[in-house]
Amino acid sequence: MRIKILASFLMTVWVTTASAYGWEDGDPLTLSGDGDEASVEYKPTCDVQRQRDPSMTDEEYSDFLLEFQDSECAHVFTVGDIGFGGGRVFYTTDEGRHGLETAPTDIKPLEWGCYNQYIEGAKELKIGAGRDNTAAIIDESCESYFGGSVIFDDIVNYNGGGFQDWYVPSAYELYKVYEVLGSHKVLGESTQFSYPQYFWSSTEFNSRYIYTINLDTGSKVYAERGLTLSTLPIRSF
C-alpha cells in the first residue's frame, strides 16, 4: 500500500514539474501495432539526404547535387571552402548555393592541341564560359603538334573527387582562381617546350595562341598551343 502511495506521489511531482517547464507541448510517444515498437516519425538530416545512392553514376550524382542545392537543405558555400569535389570554391552565386570550384589535383603539363586550327565556340573569356569552350574543343577531336595526348583528351577522363564533369576554365575563370585563392605553386622546372607553372585556359586568342596564366605569380601571357602547360580543371555546383 505504501509503495502505491509513494509511486502516485512521485508521478504527481513529475507531472507538476514537467508542466512548469512546458513538457506537455509535444504529443506523447505511444506503442504501436503489437506493442513492441514506439511510433516515432524519423526525418533524415540534410547530410543524410545529400549522400550518394550507390546506384547513381557520376553524372547522375552531379545532377542530383545541382538540384539539391536549390532545396531547403542546400549547403551554403563561401569562397575558400572545400567544394563537393574536394577542391576549393573560388566563385559563388545565389548566396553561396551555387558557384565554381577547382579540382583537388592538377593535370600534368600537356599540349593544348589544335595547332593552327581556329575553333568556333572557344573564344569566350567570361566567367561561366569554360564549360561551353571545353565542349566545343572536345567536339573537334584535336591532335597534338608533337604527337601524344592533349589536355582535352585527359579532361574527358579526369575523375576528381568522384566527379567527371570537370572542364578547362575560361580565361576569366582562370584568373579568378588566382585573384581569389592566391598563389598556386606547381613542382617542376621549365624547359624549352614545357612550362609547368603556367596553366591553360579554354579560351583562344587566335588560331595559334591561347590565354594562359602563371598561377604562382598571376602573370598573364599568350602561349602557343604546341607547348606543354599545366591545367587546373574546374566544375560547377
Side-chain angles (χ1 to χ4, degrees), residues 110-163:
L110 290 169
E111 291 181 47
W112 199 89
C114 305
Y115 198 80
N116 280 337
Q117 179 182 346
Y118 180 79
I119 300 174
E120 188 66 34
K123 61 180 182 296
E124 289 290 341
L125 294 91
K126 65 185 179 182
I127 291 178
R131 186 201 299 271
D132 289 341
N133 285 348
T134 299
I137 299 162
I138 290 173
D139 285 344
E140 292 293 324
S141 300
C142 294
E143 297 181 357
S144 72
Y145 183 76
F146 291 103
S149 296
V150 299
I151 185 57
F152 297 97
D153 294 330
D154 274 32
I155 200 73
V156 170
N157 299 313
Y158 181 77
N159 187 341
F163 293 92

Side-chain angles (χ1 to χ4, degrees), residues 4-236:
K4 290 184 179 180
I5 294 174
L6 179 60
S8 176
F9 173 75
L10 290 175
M11 181 61 72
T12 301
V13 172
W14 168 252
V15 172
T16 301
T17 304
S19 297
Y21 286 94
W23 218 280
E24 73 280 4
D25 290 347
D27 294 330
L29 299 180
T30 60
L31 295 178
S32 62
D34 56 7
D36 292 331
E37 297 180 355
S39 178
V40 182
E41 182 179 356
Y42 169 72
K43 183 177 181 179
T45 64
C46 289
D47 286 341
V48 170
Q49 293 180 55
R50 191 183 296 112
Q51 289 179 359
R52 179 174 181 168
D53 188 293
S55 66
M56 287 182 177
T57 64
D58 291 341
E59 183 178 2
E60 288 171 340
Y61 185 51
S62 178
D63 291 342
F64 163 76
L65 281 180
L66 198 61
E67 294 181 6
F68 193 81
Q69 284 299 96
D70 290 321
S71 74
E72 62 180 10
C73 276
H75 182 91
V76 177
F77 290 96
T78 58
V79 169
D81 286 349
I82 301 300
F84 290 131
R88 295 178 67 193
V89 174
F90 67 95
Y91 182 78
T92 61
T93 62
D94 302 318
E95 299 180 332
R97 289 175 173 78
H98 296 288
L100 301 171
E101 68 171 313
T102 64
T105 57
D106 307 334
I107 294 180
K108 65 182 181 181
L110 290 169
E111 291 181 47
W112 199 89
C114 305
Y115 198 80
N116 280 337
Q117 179 182 346
Y118 180 79
I119 300 174
E120 188 66 34
K123 61 180 182 296
E124 289 290 341
L125 294 91
K126 65 185 179 182
I127 291 178
R131 186 201 299 271
D132 289 341
N133 285 348
T134 299
I137 299 162
I138 290 173
D139 285 344
E140 292 293 324
S141 300
C142 294
E143 297 181 357
S144 72
Y145 183 76
F146 291 103
S149 296
V150 299
I151 185 57
F152 297 97
D153 294 330
D154 274 32
I155 200 73
V156 170
N157 299 313
Y158 181 77
N159 187 341
F163 293 92
Q164 288 189 309
D165 57 351
W166 302 95
Y167 51 90
V168 181
S170 68
Y172 287 176
E173 287 170 337
L174 185 59
Y175 184 71
K176 194 70 174 178
V177 171
Y178 174 78
E179 181 183 51
V180 172
L181 300 181
S183 178
H184 182 94
K185 297 184 181 295
V186 177
L187 298 177
E189 298 294 327
S190 297
T191 63
Q192 183 179 2
F193 299 112
S194 181
Y195 299 86
Q197 68 272 33
Y198 283 88
F199 284 74
W200 292 119
S201 78
S202 56
T203 308
E204 291 185 326
F205 175 67
N206 57 29
S207 61
R208 183 176 179 181
Y209 291 101
I210 304 299
Y211 289 88
T212 69
I213 295 177
N214 183 323
L215 284 184
D216 184 15
T217 65
S219 175
K220 302 185 287 292
V221 302
Y222 305 122
E224 285 197 89
R225 303 160 185 250
L227 297 173
T228 59
L229 277 58
S230 301
T231 303
L232 180 59
I234 66 171
R235 67 179 297 274
S236 308

